[in-house]
């Protein structure tokens, strides 16, 4: 889904020296750790994902009327590494060129949040549901543009084939899962001084996650740290 926080962010931040968005301890989660987390009480009852950006909170009115949506956080189980699939939004649709998790708004025919995430992923990158083992959900995240996004985390088992939907996706990308669980990956990258706003990004080489996508990544990171600290 697109990153509505970027619309208001029209000035660059302080560059590579900007202070980190947050600084949890680094993790290198493996599959047994992820499975244990989602089987634990913490994983089964996730807290809502907070908005890490410095901006006005989402209003109660927007929350009350939010449109249900879901994204898939697709983690590929390669023999030597866990990697996360991402999409670059098509240049001719809203939020062009932004990198995000596959997903979108719920359809009335969807029977669950998981079905929404899997259906949207199939539509965007042609990843069949049979290749995805759903581990669980993260907490809901409310956007300023009026969506309630529920992230679904799934393990993708090779071999599989992917094809970008030419009307929605310009490129399918991958990054190591541990790129999302390193404090050094995150920084404040854009500021709007006159509004006293600042926005975070996750950066790994040429990949930059912003808006709701980076908040979902940060919320996932913090949930895994909390699970490790709790011995989940």
């Amino acid at each position: 889904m697109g990153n509505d926080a970027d619309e208001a962010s029209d000035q660059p931040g302080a560059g590579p020296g900007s202070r980190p968005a947050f600084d949890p301890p680094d993790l290198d989660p493996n599959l047994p750790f992820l499975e244990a987390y989602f089987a634990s009480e913490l994983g089964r009852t996730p807290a809502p994902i907070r908005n890490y950006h410095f901006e006005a909170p989402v209003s109660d009115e927007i929350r009350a009327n939010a449109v249900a949506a879901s994204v898939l956080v697709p983690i590929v189980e390669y023999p030597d590494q866990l990697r996360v699939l991402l999409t670059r939004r098509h240049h001719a649709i809203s939020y062009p060129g932004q990198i995000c998790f596959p997903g979108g708004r719920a359809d009335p025919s969807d029977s669950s949040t998981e079905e929404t995430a899997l259906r949207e992923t199939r539509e965007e990158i042609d990843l069949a549901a049979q290749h995805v083992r759903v581990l669980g959900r993260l907490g809901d995240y409310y956007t300023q543009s009026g969506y309630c996004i529920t992230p679904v985390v799934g393990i993708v088992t090779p071999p599989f084939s992917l094809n970008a939907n030419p009307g929605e996706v310009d490129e399918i990308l991958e990054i190591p899962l541990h790129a999302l669980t390193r404090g050094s990956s995150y920084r404040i990258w854009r500021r709007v001084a006159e509004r006293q706003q600042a926005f975070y990004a996750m950066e790994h080489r040429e990949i930059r996650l912003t808006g709701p996508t980076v908040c979902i990544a940060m919320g996932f990171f913090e949930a895994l740290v909390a699970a490790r600290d709790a011995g989940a």
Side-chain angles (χ1 to χ4, degrees), residues 67-68 105-112 115-116 119-120:
V67 175
R105 69 172 65 198
D107 188 274
S109 64
D110 293 338
S111 62
S112 66
E115 184 173 342
T116 298
R119 175 185 54 76
E120 285 284 337

Side-chain angles (χ1 to χ4, degrees), residues 64-135:
N65 295 286
V67 175
S70 181
V71 298
L72 183 68
V73 181
I75 301 173
V76 184
E77 183 188 5
Y78 290 114
D80 59 339
Q81 190 179 55
L82 298 177
R83 297 180 67 83
V84 180
L85 294 173
L86 299 164
T87 65
R88 188 186 302 277
R89 290 175 63 83
H90 191 270
H91 61 274
I93 63 175
S94 59
Y95 312 109
Q98 292 183 4
I99 298 172
C100 53
F101 300 114
R105 69 172 65 198
D107 188 274
S109 64
D110 293 338
S111 62
S112 66
T113 295
E114 289 77 11
E115 184 173 342
T116 298
L118 293 171
R119 175 185 54 76
E120 285 284 337
T121 299
R122 180 65 180 264
E123 291 176 5
E124 290 184 15
I125 62 174
D126 199 25
L127 176 63
Q130 69 195 53
H131 292 293
V132 183
R133 177 167 62 94
V134 172
L135 293 183

Side-chain angles (χ1 to χ4, degrees), residues 8 15 85 157 196 218 228:
L85 294 173
T157 305
Q196 298 184 317
M218 294 166 78
R228 187 192 66 175

Side-chain angles (χ1 to χ4, degrees), residues 9 12 20 22 64 83 87 109 151 154 161 182 194 210 212 228:
S9 310
F22 67 158
R83 297 180 67 83
T87 65
S109 64
S161 62
R182 294 284 189 273
E194 65 272 21
T210 58
R228 187 192 66 175

